Amino acid sequence: MNASEFSALLLLATAMSFSPGPNTTLSTAMAANHGLSRAMPFVCAVPAGWGLLLALCALGLGALVLALPWLGWTIKLLGAAYLLWLANRLARTQAMGQAEGRVVVGFWQGVALQFVNIKAWALALAIVSGWIAGHADAPARLAVVMPVMLAYAFVSNLTYALAGSLLRHWLAGPNGSGTRLRWFNRAMAGVLALTAVWMVLR
C-alpha cells in the first residue's frame, strides 16, 4: 500500500468514524446518563465487532450480502427496529441512571449491533472493495488496515463518551431537576430514530 492509498484510507476513516451515527450517539447517551465506566464496555465493543465484520467482509461475506438483496434488507430492517427500540427507551429516561427506560448496551450487544449497523457495513464494504479485494497482497493490506480502523473506532467512540460524561453535571440541572437531561435524551433518541429511517431508505 503506497502513501497516497494510505492517506485516502485515513481521510475515509476520519470522516466515517467521527461523524455522528448509531455508535457515537449511544456512546454519548450512555456516558451522559450512567457515567463513563458504564459506557466503556460498548466503546470497546465497537472496534471488536466492527473488526470482525471487516474480516468477514474481506473473506467474502460482503460479496454475499451484495449478491442477495433480501439479506441486505434483512440487515437494514433488523438494525432499524433495534435502533427504534433503543430510541424509545432513551426518550423515556427522565433521570440519571434511571432503571425504567434505561439504555445500557453491553459488550456482546455492542458487538452484535455492528452486524445490523448499515454505516458499519458501508465502511467495511468500501474498505474491502477499495483497499483489499483484488490485490495480490490482500492479507498484508488487511493487516495494515485492521489496526488503523480499530484505533479509529475506539478513539471516536471514546471521544463521544467523554463528551457525554463531561455533560453529566450540566445535564442534571439545578437541584438535579433533570429537565436538561430529558431534552438531551429526547434529542439523542431523535438522532437514533432518524438514523433508523435513513437506514431503511438508503
Side-chain angles (χ1 to χ4, degrees):
M1 185 181 300
N2 58 40
S4 62
E5 286 181 300
F6 190 69
S7 297
L9 174 68
L10 294 182
L11 287 174
L12 177 66
T14 301
M16 292 293 284
S17 298
F18 284 93
S19 59
N23 291 328
T24 53
T25 301
L26 285 171
S27 294
T28 308
M30 282 191 287
N33 282 274
H34 306 289
L36 183 61
S37 62
R38 297 299 300 273
M40 284 308 297
F42 179 74
V43 170
C44 294
V46 173
W50 192 84
L52 179 59
L53 177 62
L54 177 62
L56 291 174
C57 282
L59 292 172
L61 180 61
L64 179 63
V65 171
L66 293 175
L68 300 174
W70 66 266
L71 184 55
W73 270 104
T74 300
I75 292 169
K76 285 184 179 184
L77 293 176
L78 286 174
Y82 185 58
L83 289 181
L84 289 173
W85 180 76
L86 288 174
N88 178 59
R89 292 182 67 83
L90 183 58
R92 291 189 292 111
T93 301
Q94 304 292 317
M96 295 288 183
Q98 179 183 336
E100 182 184 354
R102 186 175 72 171
V103 175
V104 178
V105 182
F107 180 82
W108 292 112
Q109 287 175 293
V111 169
L113 178 60
Q114 305 317 303
F115 286 84
V116 291
N117 180 350
I118 195 65
K119 186 180 178 184
W121 276 98
L123 181 56
L125 291 172
I127 288 175
V128 169
S129 62
W131 282 267
I132 298 172
H135 293 276
D137 60 342
R141 283 171 171 265
L142 180 60
V144 171
V145 168
M146 183 69 79
V148 171
M149 297 309 301
L150 294 187
Y152 267 87
F154 177 76
V155 172
S156 63
N157 282 278
L158 178 60
T159 301
Y160 276 83
L162 286 170
S165 67
L166 291 173
L167 288 171
R168 272 177 66 78
H169 179 71
W170 181 81
L171 289 172
N175 302 317
S177 64
T179 302
R180 294 170 181 168
L181 179 70
R182 286 193 292 273
W183 283 107
F184 172 82
N185 285 337
R186 289 167 185 169
M188 293 294 99
V191 171
L192 289 177
L194 288 174
T195 302
V197 173
W198 172 81
M199 286 172 60
V200 174
L201 298 179
R202 186 177 184 274

